[in-house]
Amino acid sequence: MFVSLHQQNPPRFPMNSEPGRNFYFILIPIMPKNYTKPPISISEQILTLKKRGLIIDDISFAEKILSEISYFRFAAYLRPMENDKITHQFKDNSLFENAVRLYEFDAELRKIIFNAIQHIEVSVRAKVIHNFSMKYGPFWFMNEVLFREKSKYIDNFKCVIREVERSKEDYILEHYRKYDNPPYPPAWKTLELCSFGTLSKLYCNFSDNKIKKEIAHQFNVPNHIVLESWLRSLALLRNYCAHHARLWNRLFNAGPQMNVKLRGSWILYQNVNPNKLYALLCCMAYCLDNLSLGKGKDFKCQLKKELSSHPSIDINAMGFTKNWEQEPLWDTSLEFKVNSLE
């Protein structure tokens, strides 16, 4: 059967089914939608919130908050109080100050996480540089054959080189005053410049699984596959912290592997949502437990203190499980000892 499409609006494409019967696909054009909302003043923002049922007792305070934070960023902390997600009408007795407290909690939580995650990042960097360099020499990051996927390697290598070329670090400038071959400094200089994300991608794409497993063992993790998933998740978390993004109820696309057997103190409850913040906090705590100077205990105590000082915060939105503080991982009364996997 021939169908003249130019006579049809919108055009229809026949699909044969039973003899003597035809079904048609109808192509419906999707018209572009223009964004037409204009910017509004802070006074108008406050008026809009009040019309939607938000209680704002101190207008001057609200104006100062919105001038320092911005309505768009602050709106994410208002949404838990909304009764209707379409009209954005608020529940009864919703207070502007409650959103401010939630924002402040999230900011303090971000500081705790960012401070702790830097210790993991520095340690991973040191272990990757040392172990890979000892086996493959100081310029292993320039050797494409050491990596599994060429396209990923090229993208990562470009990121590394871009950081070197724009660096004004004294040790980079001094290196180029003395040497010009190979074209880039050794790994212990060059990779100090790359981001945690780039570093984790170099580790994940490295083809020598044996040496990657050795590094995983240094974090008391059984294999490189688990550590790879943790590093990808923590690198993403670190970026959210660096950009002051909301953390407390965020869904993370790249969740870490959680249902694993570990030699160190870990969680017994296995039904943890890997895409919620609690899962990443568990991975952080476990990694920090395997570093020196009591980093794990410090992190856990700071986190517990922050949560206890904000009892109204819904920790379920962060993925915390019932009785999470009784988990072996979060027991700060015990002195952690590293159990070697070697």
Side-chain angles (χ1 to χ4, degrees):
M1 175 182 174
F2 176 78
V3 180
S4 178
L5 297 180
H6 72 275
Q7 295 177 351
Q8 302 173 8
N9 186 23
R12 297 178 296 170
F13 292 87
M15 179 181 71
N16 289 331
S17 180
E18 299 176 8
R21 298 179 63 183
N22 289 307
F23 292 88
Y24 294 86
F25 287 120
I26 299 178
L27 297 183
I28 300 175
I30 299 176
M31 302 301 293
K33 295 181 179 180
N34 295 325
Y35 188 89
T36 58
K37 295 180 180 180
I40 60 176
S41 68
I42 292 177
S43 296
E44 290 173 313
Q45 294 169 14
I46 293 175
L47 182 61
T48 297
L49 292 175
K50 294 186 71 174
K51 286 181 179 179
R52 292 173 177 173
L54 186 66
I55 300 173
I56 305 177
D57 293 325
D58 191 335
I59 299 298
S60 297
F61 174 70
E63 288 176 341
K64 185 172 180 60
I65 290 295
L66 293 175
S67 69
E68 294 175 355
I69 298 175
S70 91
Y71 181 89
F72 182 78
R73 177 183 290 270
F74 189 70
Y77 302 91
L78 292 166
R79 291 196 182 100
M81 295 187 292
E82 289 180 349
N83 191 44
D84 189 316
K85 303 302 180 183
I86 304 300
T87 64
H88 304 292
Q89 293 295 314
F90 291 97
K91 301 172 186 175
D92 293 339
N93 302 316
S94 295
L95 302 175
F96 182 86
E97 287 78 5
N98 288 345
V100 174
R101 281 193 285 270
L102 181 56
Y103 176 85
E104 291 175 339
F105 163 78
D106 199 43
E108 290 301 316
L109 179 65
R110 204 160 46 236
K111 290 178 185 178
I112 293 171
I113 292 173
F114 194 60
N115 179 64
I117 211 167
Q118 68 175 324
H119 299 299
I120 300 173
E121 177 180 351
V122 169
S123 180
V124 170
R125 193 184 307 275
K127 296 180 192 309
V128 167
I129 291 173
H130 178 75
N131 286 271
F132 288 11
S133 298
M134 290 298 293
K135 185 170 183 179
Y136 294 102
F139 302 100
W140 57 267
F141 64 95
M142 297 171 57
N143 190 351
E144 181 184 306
V145 300
L146 296 177
F147 296 85
R148 290 198 306 258
E149 297 185 41
K150 180 179 178 180
S151 59
K152 288 184 178 180
Y153 167 75
I154 292 174
D155 290 340
N156 294 339
F157 186 67
K158 287 179 180 178
C159 291
V160 172
I161 299 316
R162 183 167 58 247
E163 294 300 327
V164 174
E165 291 178 345
R166 71 182 186 181
S167 175
K168 301 300 180 183
E169 290 283 356
D170 291 342
Y171 64 87
I172 295 294
L173 299 177
E174 181 182 5
H175 178 90
Y176 280 118
R177 283 195 293 266
K178 295 181 178 179
Y179 312 101
D180 53 19
N181 189 51
Y184 303 107
W188 49 87
K189 295 182 181 181
T190 293
L191 297 188
E192 282 292 330
L193 301 172
C194 73
S195 68
F196 191 19
T198 298
L199 183 71
S200 66
K201 290 174 183 177
L202 288 172
Y203 175 85
C204 293
N205 196 30
F206 207 68
S207 59
D208 187 341
N209 290 336
K210 182 179 179 180
I211 197 168
K212 287 162 62 175
K213 189 174 182 179
E214 292 175 2
I215 293 175
H217 285 180
Q218 293 175 36
F219 283 101
N220 212 17
V221 173
N223 57 62
H224 65 282
I225 297 175
V226 174
L227 185 60
E228 284 179 10
S229 80
W230 287 18
L231 293 183
R232 282 191 292 265
S233 299
L234 295 182
L236 180 63
L237 177 60
R238 189 256 182 218
N239 288 342
Y240 281 130
C241 290
H243 291 90
H244 319 294
R246 171 181 47 83
L247 295 182
W248 78 280
N249 66 343
R250 179 178 292 277
L251 281 175
F252 296 86
N253 293 328
Q257 288 192 25
M258 296 299 294
N259 294 332
V260 294
K261 293 183 178 181
L262 302 174
R263 299 284 293 273
S265 297
W266 187 231
I267 54 176
L268 302 176
Y269 185 78
Q270 293 297 302
N271 294 324
V272 172
N273 187 339
N275 302 113
K276 290 293 190 75
L277 181 61
Y278 175 67
L280 279 73
L281 296 175
C282 289
C283 298
M284 286 182 61
Y286 188 86
C287 289
L288 291 166
D289 274 340
N290 289 275
L291 301 183
S292 60
L293 304 177
K295 299 299 182 184
K297 186 173 183 179
D298 290 346
F299 170 67
K300 297 171 194 178
C301 289
Q302 290 173 12
L303 180 64
K304 289 181 178 181
K305 181 179 179 181
E306 179 64 16
L307 292 173
S308 64
S309 64
H310 294 81
S312 63
I313 300 298
D314 179 15
I315 64 173
N316 292 323
M318 295 183 277
F320 279 83
T321 58
K322 186 178 180 180
N323 300 322
W324 67 274
E325 289 187 83
Q326 278 70 58
E327 291 278 15
L329 174 66
W330 296 102
D331 187 355
T332 53
S333 65
L334 301 176
E335 189 67 27
F336 180 81
K337 293 183 180 179
V338 176
N339 296 313
S340 175
L341 289 170
E342 298 296 342

